Amino acid sequence: MAKNKGPRRPKAETPKGFRDYFGAEVTARKAMLDRIAAVYHRYGFDALETSAVETVEALGKFLPDVDRPNEGVFAWEEDSDWLALRYDLTAPLARVAAQYRNDLPTPYRRYAMGPVWRNEKPGPGRFRQFYQCDADTVGAASVAADAEICAMLADALEEVGIPRGDYVIRVNNRKVLNGVMEVAGILDPAEPTKFEHERGIVLRAIDKLDRLGVEGVRALLGEGRKDESGDFTKGAGLGDEQIAPLMAFLNAPQEAMARSKQIRDFVSNTKDDGSPINVIGGQGVAEEFSRLFAALLRAPNESPSPANHYWNHAALSTLREIVGESSEGKQGTSELTEIITLLTAQGYGPDRIIIDPSVVRGLGYYTGPVFEAELTFEILDEKGRPRQFGSVAGGGRYDDLVKRFTGQAVPATGVSIGVDRLLAALAAKGRLEDAAQGPVVVTVMDRARMADYMGMVNELRTAGIRAEMYLGNPKNFGNQLKYADKRQSPVAIIQGEDEAARDVVQVKDLILGAKLAVDATLEEWKSQPAQVEVPRADLVATVREIMGRHG
Amino acid sequence: MAKNKGPRRPKAETPKGFRDYFGAEVTARKAMLDRIAAVYHRYGFDALETSAVETVEALGKFLPDVDRPNEGVFAWEEDSDWLALRYDLTAPLARVAAQYRNDLPTPYRRYAMGPVWRNEKPGPGRFRQFYQCDADTVGAASVAADAEICAMLADALEEVGIPRGDYVIRVNNRKVLNGVMEVAGILDPAEPTKFEHERGIVLRAIDKLDRLGVEGVRALLGEGRKDESGDFTKGAGLGDEQIAPLMAFLNAPQEAMARSKQIRDFVSNTKDDGSPINVIGGQGVAEEFSRLFAALLRAPNESPSPANHYWNHAALSTLREIVGESSEGKQGTSELTEIITLLTAQGYGPDRIIIDPSVVRGLGYYTGPVFEAELTFEILDEKGRPRQFGSVAGGGRYDDLVKRFTGQAVPATGVSIGVDRLLAALAAKGRLEDAAQGPVVVTVMDRARMADYMGMVNELRTAGIRAEMYLGNPKNFGNQLKYADKRQSPVAIIQGEDEAARDVVQVKDLILGAKLAVDATLEEWKSQPAQVEVPRADLVATVREIMGRHG
């Protein structure tokens, strides 16, 4: 017979894929989000906090984001309604914009910060609940709204502690890629659904550029590609003339880089009055580019390539050529030009915001300008190799999201900051506010004098010093100091019977104590006592002095 | 044949019982919680943010809180695990305290703020997602921990803007009621499960005191009670001698009030040297009470009854008599005495924290001291009648919650602030920070000069002024001013072709404009122009001056 163990106890475990956040993990994130919120507020964005729960109907079973079709939600049935936890902050915004369309201002600028939930297979560093931090403008068709989001994103990054030069906002436009597809003959503006299959293959191939390289992508655009294992993937079947503009698009960053260097070389040879003496970049430098370029010459800036003042114009001229006569392509480059013009007027130069044709991630979801914030400083990866930190935020224009509800297209643009990524970046840069400082611990030597100890604690708190009385069993004094250690307390206060009789307290500098314990000589021990006896009346002043000593 | 309407559109609706929070609703709550968190932090409490999702097993199917047995959770099955949204912040704390027991400091002081979810029938002002704000100390058996929570709660209320005198923290002890039950012969310390049925009836009867009155409760303690409709509810069947101590307990507040007045009368007749000349309250004034009372005479305080310096001692002497020789009852009054002694030593007198035998709500859940914060100022109810605002926070000691997981009892005490209630109180007192101020709106008169308008906005933002450019369709200028109105903008900036040529801007004071529109005479209109023309260079200074004018 099995031994009777009584009722089984429940397991004390966070559900699989979820985690808890303790102390500084909570406050550091909060401090970062507070700073971002202050920037958003200054830009005129209003806070919005939607319910965590949405109807599955409102969330949409078929998300417009084709890049993540397999991502599930946590859903359950409730009185014949299916409810689910929100999987991002954009879907609830679309619902709100539709639901309150008669009450909200137009345009409606809002920011939202909070957890979202994904029913995905958890992995290392990949959780089923995580924070998002979004800002969106709904109801503004003008790309001035996109420019504003880019400027705000730059300001937010600087506000949380990413210095200028350590980040860059890369901007592209979905319409440019559409223009390239039109030139390649796989997009017909008169018949938008035609060639969908081919475009699908092309988009997937472009997305694999990092992994397959230029030749691999070219093979997928043509007949197909055989991988190392000998497996054959059928391609889009495009002819060489169709492939050419697509390859030019893929090569646009390199071409823009080359032109940017040409411009730089040219500028360093320019006349004193700054007037251009030659046509830059060979062919196709449009009038507008010349105008912008002339403006630039008035404020040259030799920050490191590619974030230099010639880059954006080189990139624009390259893209203008590639999209040729496609009207959508032209609209794309003209929107990019307007964004750059507006940003330049406010002082956001290419040391902060650049046009980058290689930003293609998520293009399927967006309908116009897209942006991505990348941190450019190096960190060491898990194998100790240096690599760029990479992307911490992304966004763009998505004009069809509200239409699901109302039937009317509502223009919208926005950005989402990867909260955990940005926090990790701040940690890597040593920029997290040190919220980990523990409280001053007033130890309990004499149980009958708890009121006295509480009085000390109260004095310290009133002086704005984080403090507490030890509330565990005071019998073992060693446990009290171990507790202070675990709490990362800077100072411990001790007052036994003897000290009380003489109206003094012992003030123990725990930070110095820990340091001395590691590497002090006997002389140092003697010359820097980590514990001092002071009159009871000097308690607060002494603690303040010691804490100031350690910054 | 039915007309083909195309695919049905999803409804843009918040799920039933949920709501969205806009702008100042979000920021005012956040500002309040930030202030509370600062107090908790100063008291040495660490932030904890658990996942919103728990296993149903960890949450507990049978919640220890018998006061809310019918409250459901939102739950769903996930790979053979049942998951659920947390219904409060205490159950996750119990799980965390068990799960990380080897890593957390002992005692573990933590605060948590965030939404919780209840699967209840929604009603007016009753939502299925709402905020809680908790602070708990786990692993401290000493009632010094309870005293600390009471002091912290008082500090938190003052910090958010409830002035002293407008709130009171009422303290009681579950053990006192147990002592009364022992005296009444329905609790046998040697056989704790005996008389459970009778105690259930008694607890439910006491809970109905407000509704049934003293006589109604007495009937339920005895044979039973017939209500107005003639329905008979069977009582606990207690005899008169058993009922007497229970009725004395119910009458304790009145008795304490009478004694408190006796003390006050006595004090006003005391000798100049402050020595007591008589025994107060007739019988049973214990030594300790005399000692406390003597201390009080050194610092008399004639604040209004019942929050006066004699109340706590009158209440303690009353309760001591009622619990008689019950050892649990004695422990209860002695714990209350210790709490009051510790609080008095820190300056928390009965103008802030009082012993109140009438605090019985939730006693079933708690095992020792219980506390409730009540706001004492009056508001008008929905019918325009004045009533006290009432309870905004409650808590107490619950020593058995962690035991579910580990088998070991872990002492714990804590408080939960009703976030929405407290926010409503601050709104009623006009104490909410005015976060509703809209941005300065730079209007768009000339589409070709967007970059100039953006430059103005950027200047204002750089000066720390919330500002934005109008991003809607600029064709209809009236819409731009309507937009500014909807945003509660203080100032609008206007620069048309003519102004641009003269390098000036029009600065429109929208607050003054709105005021003038309501009640200005023609002379006032002329003497206080709501719109001024200033040089472009004076933009920021002019806006700042106007905003300063309106505070």
Side-chain angles (χ1 to χ4, degrees), chain B residues 112-341:
Chain B
M113 300 170 168
V116 301
W117 293 265
R118 300 270 172 92
N119 195 353
E120 292 173 322
K121 218 177 130 71
R126 189 183 171 90
F127 296 99
R128 297 167 116 184
Q129 171 179 332
F130 54 92
Y131 265 71
Q132 286 195 338
C133 166
D134 285 20
D136 295 81
T137 301
V138 179
S142 162
V143 293
D146 302 275
E148 178 176 80
I149 297 269
C150 290
M152 186 166 77
L153 182 54
D155 282 11
L157 291 176
E158 293 187 18
E159 185 75 23
V160 300
I162 305 288
R164 207 169 294 181
D166 268 357
Y167 71 90
V168 63
I169 319 275
R170 307 179 180 282
V171 185
N172 197 4
N173 195 323
R174 168 74 213 231
K175 290 174 183 169
V176 170
L177 181 58
N178 280 352
V180 175
M181 301 242 224
E182 194 182 336
V183 170
I186 52 170
L187 179 66
D188 181 351
E191 222 173 317
T193 54
K194 214 174 153 185
F195 304 119
E196 245 171 16
H197 174 71
E198 285 79 3
R199 287 201 300 276
I201 297 177
V202 167
L203 278 173
R204 283 192 295 279
I206 290 179
D207 222 25
K208 289 179 190 150
L209 179 62
D210 276 359
R211 194 157 58 79
L212 304 184
V214 172
E215 286 316 306
V217 173
R218 184 199 295 272
L220 281 176
L221 298 179
E223 292 308 313
R225 175 177 174 272
K226 197 184 274 187
D227 67 17
E228 290 99 58
S229 71
D231 285 349
F232 186 76
T233 309
K234 201 172 176 307
L238 305 186
D240 284 350
E241 279 181 35
Q242 293 183 289
I243 292 176
L246 292 165
M247 295 313 291
F249 177 73
L250 289 182
N251 191 49
Q254 286 71 35
E255 173 64 20
M257 177 70 85
R259 291 188 190 188
S260 157
K261 283 183 181 150
Q262 278 182 280
I263 302 175
R264 193 191 49 202
D265 294 345
F266 165 76
V267 168
S268 55
N269 290 315
T270 197
K271 289 186 189 162
D272 280 344
D273 68 355
S275 60
I277 49 165
N278 206 346
V279 175
I280 311 306
Q283 359 46 349
V285 176
E287 249 184 70
E288 196 169 73
F289 176 40
S290 297
R291 184 175 63 75
L292 285 166
F293 185 55
L296 275 178
L297 289 181
R298 288 195 297 272
N301 175 348
E302 285 290 337
S303 65
S305 174
N308 69 52
H309 266 187
Y310 321 120
W311 168 266
N312 280 336
H313 311 293
L316 278 171
S317 80
T318 306
L319 291 177
R320 273 199 208 92
E321 277 168 42
I322 299 172
V323 300
E325 287 307 308
S326 156
S327 78
E328 190 174 1
K330 283 175 161 179
Q331 201 187 335
T333 52
S334 132
E335 286 179 3
L336 284 176
T337 305
E338 190 174 346
I339 288 173
I340 291 301
T341 309

Side-chain angles (χ1 to χ4, degrees), chain A residues 277-294:
Chain A
I277 50 167
N278 207 345
V279 176
I280 311 307
Q283 12 21 10
V285 176
E287 247 184 73
E288 195 168 74
F289 175 39
S290 294
R291 185 176 63 76
L292 285 166
F293 184 54

Side-chain angles (χ1 to χ4, degrees), chain A residues 48 80 142 189 218 244 246 274 326 350-351 370 395 403 413 448 466 485:
Chain A
L48 169 67
S80 79
S142 162
R218 184 199 295 272
L246 292 165
S326 157
D351 54 333
V370 290
K403 199 177 179 181
T413 183
R466 192 180 191 205
D485 191 45

Side-chain angles (χ1 to χ4, degrees), chain B residues 381-395:
Chain B
D381 69 10
E382 56 284 0
K383 292 187 179 164
R385 293 168 303 204
R387 62 165 182 83
Q388 282 214 344
F389 191 89
S391 175
V392 291

Side-chain angles (χ1 to χ4, degrees), chain B residues 324-497:
Chain B
E325 287 307 308
S326 156
S327 78
E328 190 174 1
K330 283 175 161 179
Q331 201 187 335
T333 52
S334 132
E335 286 179 3
L336 284 176
T337 305
E338 190 174 346
I339 288 173
I340 291 301
T341 309
L342 288 170
L343 288 169
T344 305
Q346 292 175 79
Y348 294 83
D351 54 333
R352 291 194 268 177
I353 303 176
I354 63 170
I355 290 176
D356 187 341
S358 73
V359 174
V360 289
R361 210 195 61 184
L363 276 187
Y365 176 77
Y366 296 109
T367 55
V370 290
F371 9 95
E372 195 167 286
E374 196 174 328
L375 302 190
T376 52
F377 60 82
E378 284 188 342
I379 54 162
L380 299 180
D381 69 10
E382 56 284 0
K383 292 187 179 164
R385 293 168 303 204
R387 62 165 182 83
Q388 282 214 344
F389 191 89
S391 175
V392 291
R397 182 164 283 275
Y398 52 99
D399 284 346
D400 290 337
L401 214 50
V402 181
K403 199 177 180 181
R404 286 183 58 232
F405 295 103
T406 62
Q408 280 186 297
V410 176
T413 183
V415 68
S416 183
I417 292 179
V419 174
D420 292 324
R421 292 274 302 155
L422 186 53
L423 263 177
L426 293 177
K429 292 287 274 184
R431 294 276 177 159
L432 282 188
E433 282 168 51
D434 182 14
Q437 169 115 300
V440 171
V441 171
V442 175
T443 60
V444 174
M445 298 290 282
D446 182 356
R447 222 164 182 162
R449 287 195 304 103
M450 299 275 257
D452 293 346
Y453 300 128
M454 276 281 220
M456 295 182 199
V457 167
N458 188 52
E459 262 180 49
L460 289 164
R461 285 173 185 158
T462 304
I465 298 169
R466 193 181 190 205
E468 55 174 63
M469 182 177 83
Y470 181 70
L471 283 179
N473 187 333
K475 260 191 189 159
N476 182 332
F477 188 69
N479 278 348
Q480 300 198 40
L481 289 185
K482 268 184 217 152
Y483 171 83
D485 190 46
K486 206 163 203 173
R487 293 301 310 275
Q488 303 182 267
S489 302
V491 171
I493 310 297
I494 305 161
Q495 191 194 50
E497 216 177 320

Side-chain angles (χ1 to χ4, degrees), chain A residues 364-427:
Chain A
Y365 177 76
Y366 296 108
T367 56
V370 290
F371 9 94
E372 193 167 287
E374 195 173 329
L375 302 190
T376 51
F377 59 82
E378 284 188 342
I379 54 162
L380 298 180
D381 68 10
E382 56 284 359
K383 292 188 179 162
R385 293 168 304 202
R387 63 166 180 82
Q388 283 214 343
F389 191 89
S391 175
V392 292
R397 182 164 282 276
Y398 53 99
D399 284 346
D400 290 336
L401 214 50
V402 181
K403 199 177 179 181
R404 286 183 58 232
F405 295 103
T406 62
Q408 280 187 298
V410 175
T413 183
V415 67
S416 182
I417 292 180
V419 173
D420 291 324
R421 292 275 301 155
L422 185 54
L423 263 178
L426 294 177

